[in-house]
Amino acid sequence: MKPTRLRATLTALALVPVLVWTLFPIYWITTASFKTELALYAKPPQWLFTPILDNYTRVLTNIPFFQYLKNSLVIAIGTTLGSLVLGTLAGYGFARFRFRASEAVRFLVLVTRMAPRMVLVVPYYLMMQRLGLLDTYTGLLVAYVSFALPFSIWLLVGFFVDVPLDVEEAAMIDGCSRLGVLIRIVIPIAAPGLVVAAIFAFLVSWNEFLFALILSGVEAKTLPVVIAGLNTDAGPLYGEMSAAAVMVMLPNIVMTLVLQRYLVKGLTLGAVKG
Amino acid sequence: MTAGRAGRWFLLPGLVFLFAIDLIPLAYSAWVSFYNWWLIRPRDVRFVGLANYTRFADDPEFTRAVVVTTLFTVGAVLVEFLAGLGLALLFVQPFKFLRPIRVLLLLPLFVVPVVGATMWRVIFHPELGVLNYYLGAVGLAPLPWLSDPRLALVSITLVDAWRTIPFMFLVMYAGLEVLPSELFEAAAVDGASAWQSFRHITVPLLTYIMLLAVLIRGMDAFREFDIIFVLTGGGPGTATQTMQMLNYRAFGLGHMGEANAIGIVTLVIVAVMCLVLMRAVLRPQGARG
């Protein structure tokens, strides 16, 4: 007999510190966003308190939060659409057509993701300056699509390969074009893959900081830059900063919890399938 | 699989876009790196050959940045690897509430990096932070988490670990799950201890995945920016000034030639790491493990 009871106890004992370490920062900033200033700086730290919404109302009125939210959303949705269209076409191309060096090209696609972004952002800044695209949605959008695309392609190849070939062939015999097959047959079957790719692309754009910091000034400023600004400007305004931070991470948390099964699959697909 | 010309019309838009957006800036960057080019003096751009590169040889700040980057990368990847492997081994044996707990453990990976770093900044605060309060409460001295040169590097490593242990965990868990269970059963029948079957079955079969995870994480840690920017900005002094932060500073000063030269050097280093990864991945199946 295996000592299962002992094992379960040991597992629980090991998991408690891991869970505290993982979740405490998220818990702490979330509760901080509902605390009064007095409660925020109280010693000993307050674990029980009456929640207030002042921090949220203040951050929404003191800074043009909705403008920044709009910037972040428009750029993230644009990134999602752009990388889905390009990624679907290229993913289908890799999944269904053999050509010389297709494996190597597919690997090169992944390699583009490896370039340090700091290396790209400096020349990119100089180029956008010449084109008059600094501090515009377009400047950030083009960069973010290129960040999201390699992963979208890899992910979608994996989903498209699993679509049964005979269904596609039958449609083509009935006079459907290649593009028609992709749109009417392959995309509906591989829809879960497109959802995962869409979420990843959205998060790439929503989370990105360096390019936004350097390329956006006022007009196209996105939320991560706002958070970093609240953090370093003239003393920590913990209440407002926490409220803003919670609002910015909310979509991430919701998406992770709702779609965790797909996200796990998506993240490990590339690594395990090799 | 079909061979056909139609394929190119599917592939071209994405590939042209991708390589254009990556390769044009890189080529431009290499070109700028040969010039003495200040942002505020656009009319006074002079070709200086390799001067921006040769300067690194006797620049203590650059050497320091290389050391800091190496310490951070090696430290972070080591901690994340061990923690991720440990967690993955823990999760291989099913237990109650495995699924919900696994989801909770993934959260840091998906939180906006700047927000994650902000959380820790609040926790690390020397006077107001919850960490130092409880250190004091159990009779220990408060620690200057982000203002002590040595400790600051440890602190940013910890925050990086907080964010990316879930990635290591996921990759190695996925690797462990597909290992054939018959091998472990046979080993158990032969009287192998848990350590022996780990050492002689798990490790050899998992080597490929472990290598992959370490290399991917290594390249990511090498170019980490967000967390360091929010937590220390490269300070105190130059204590956490990695090559990325040095690059950012050169850019901030408007010294485009130097900023691009640093960029090209980091690119070469990452490219070498990438080649190692490529060789490992493209190795034929039979040679694995």
Side-chain angles (χ1 to χ4, degrees):
Chain A
M1 279 296 276
K2 279 185 180 175
T4 39
R5 279 295 281 278
L6 181 71
R7 206 191 149 89
T9 319
L10 286 177
T11 306
L13 278 179
L15 279 175
V16 169
V18 173
L19 279 169
V20 170
W21 151 264
T22 307
L23 298 178
F24 178 76
I26 300 174
Y27 167 81
W28 200 243
I29 203 164
T30 309
T31 53
S33 73
F34 294 107
K35 284 179 178 171
T36 61
E37 202 149 328
L38 210 63
L40 271 173
Y41 303 135
K43 288 188 177 184
Q46 293 204 344
W47 291 77
L48 293 171
F49 59 94
T50 321
I52 49 144
L53 286 172
D54 299 26
N55 294 318
Y56 288 89
T57 50
R58 242 182 301 142
V59 86
L60 293 179
T61 49
N62 287 359
I63 61 168
F65 189 86
F66 288 109
Q67 178 60 42
Y68 301 137
L69 177 67
K70 185 189 142 205
N71 294 348
S72 268
L73 275 178
V74 170
I75 296 170
I77 292 169
T79 303
T80 309
L81 293 177
S83 64
L84 272 189
V85 171
L86 293 175
T88 302
L89 289 173
Y92 187 71
F94 279 121
R96 284 292 181 256
F97 298 96
R98 268 240 172 274
F99 56 95
R100 263 194 337 171
S102 66
E103 286 288 299
V105 173
R106 196 148 71 97
F107 201 80
L108 266 183
V109 165
L110 203 59
V111 169
T112 60
R113 200 198 76 100
M114 308 293 182
R117 296 208 179 140
M118 194 72 228
V119 182
L120 293 170
V121 76
V122 177
Y124 198 78
Y125 174 89
L126 294 171
M127 287 162 64
M128 290 297 126
Q129 193 184 36
R130 288 241 166 127
L131 296 170
L133 288 173
L134 283 182
D135 202 15
T136 62
Y137 288 172
T138 317
L140 287 176
L141 195 64
V142 169
Y144 292 173
V145 171
S146 81
F147 296 163
L149 194 53
F151 188 77
S152 304
I153 293 176
W154 269 71
L155 193 79
L156 290 171
V157 170
F159 279 93
F160 290 160
V161 163
D162 290 342
V163 174
L165 252 182
D166 38 340
V167 183
E168 284 184 46
E169 278 159 4
M172 284 206 283
I173 290 166
D174 290 346
C176 212
S177 70
R178 266 286 175 190
L179 195 62
V181 168
L182 175 61
I183 293 169
R184 297 211 190 96
I185 296 174
V186 178
I187 288 180
I189 295 179
L194 278 126
V195 173
V196 184
I199 288 169
F200 269 106
F202 185 90
L203 288 182
V204 162
S205 170
W206 185 259
N207 290 355
E208 209 284 334
F209 176 61
L210 177 62
F211 270 64
L213 177 72
I214 285 180
L215 295 172
S216 75
V218 189
E219 297 295 319
K221 199 173 182 178
T222 60
L223 289 170
V225 182
V226 175
I227 301 283
L230 282 174
N231 202 339
T232 44
D233 280 351
L237 299 159
Y238 277 174
E240 290 176 38
M241 185 182 79
S242 307
V246 168
M247 288 190 279
V248 173
M249 76 170 172
L250 201 62
N252 303 49
I253 303 265
V254 171
M255 284 183 187
T256 312
L257 293 181
V258 174
L259 293 152
Q260 47 97 7
R261 206 160 48 87
Y262 292 119
L263 293 177
V264 171
K265 193 180 171 199
L267 256 185
T268 48
L269 191 76
V272 177
K273 274 196 177 171
Chain B
M1 286 287 180
T2 5
R5 295 194 161 182
R8 76 171 60 150
W9 300 113
F10 288 95
L11 286 166
L12 275 180
L15 294 184
V16 168
F17 177 82
L18 197 57
F19 293 120
I21 297 304
D22 274 338
L23 293 181
I24 295 173
L26 285 183
Y28 189 52
S29 179
W31 186 69
V32 173
S33 76
F34 296 125
Y35 285 82
N36 188 11
W37 179 322
W38 288 83
L39 207 54
I40 47 161
R41 281 180 296 179
R43 285 170 201 291
D44 183 27
V45 172
R46 276 178 297 113
F47 181 79
V48 291
L50 289 169
N52 285 324
Y53 292 93
T54 49
R55 185 182 322 162
F56 295 145
D58 45 29
D59 178 6
E61 272 215 318
F62 184 82
T63 319
R64 169 101 195 122
V66 174
V67 172
V68 169
T69 312
T70 311
L71 284 176
F72 172 73
T73 306
V74 173
V77 174
L78 191 69
V79 170
E80 291 153 15
F81 172 75
L82 292 176
L85 180 62
L87 268 180
L89 287 170
L90 194 66
F91 273 71
V92 165
Q93 302 278 339
F95 54 83
K96 249 187 183 177
F97 309 119
L98 182 144
R99 280 174 161 276
I101 290 176
R102 197 182 60 181
V103 182
L104 290 177
L105 290 185
L106 296 185
L107 284 178
L109 191 59
F110 293 101
V111 166
V112 188
V114 170
V115 171
T118 302
M119 296 173 190
W120 283 94
R121 216 178 126 103
V122 173
I123 291 171
F124 280 146
H125 194 284
E127 287 95 37
L128 306 170
V130 61
L131 195 54
N132 272 353
Y133 175 82
Y134 284 111
L135 279 183
V138 295
L140 295 169
L143 290 170
W145 294 101
L146 297 172
S147 50
D148 176 76
R150 279 166 191 241
L151 196 54
L153 194 57
V154 176
S155 301
I156 58 168
T157 306
L158 282 179
V159 176
D160 189 66
W162 174 77
R163 208 176 79 74
T164 52
I165 284 173
F167 172 78
M168 283 286 197
F169 161 58
L170 268 185
V171 173
M172 285 193 269
Y173 179 62
L176 279 175
E177 267 201 316
V178 295
L179 292 186
S181 58
E182 304 87 51
L183 283 177
F184 292 94
E185 283 153 18
V189 170
D190 290 346
S193 69
W195 167 251
Q196 280 173 325
S197 59
F198 172 75
R199 173 72 190 77
H200 297 288
I201 303 174
T202 311
V203 172
L205 287 178
L206 211 59
T207 306
Y208 172 74
I209 297 285
M210 293 197 287
L211 183 70
L212 215 60
V214 164
L215 275 167
I216 291 174
R217 259 316 293 152
M219 282 187 284
D220 275 344
F222 185 86
R223 58 183 190 171
E224 179 56 55
F225 179 81
D226 302 9
I227 287 175
I228 304 174
F229 181 90
V230 171
L231 285 171
T232 64
T238 55
T240 55
Q241 186 164 281
T242 58
M243 292 174 78
Q244 301 290 284
M245 296 304 297
L246 190 70
N247 194 343
Y248 178 72
R249 218 194 53 182
F251 171 80
L253 294 171
H255 199 336
M256 293 301 135
E258 186 180 307
N260 281 295
I262 299 172
I264 295 296
V265 172
T266 51
L267 182 71
V268 169
I269 296 173
V270 173
V272 170
M273 289 162 91
C274 202
L275 274 177
V276 177
L277 174 72
M278 223 155 150
R279 288 191 60 172
V281 172
L282 296 181
R283 213 161 45 154
Q285 288 276 342
R288 279 180 195 174

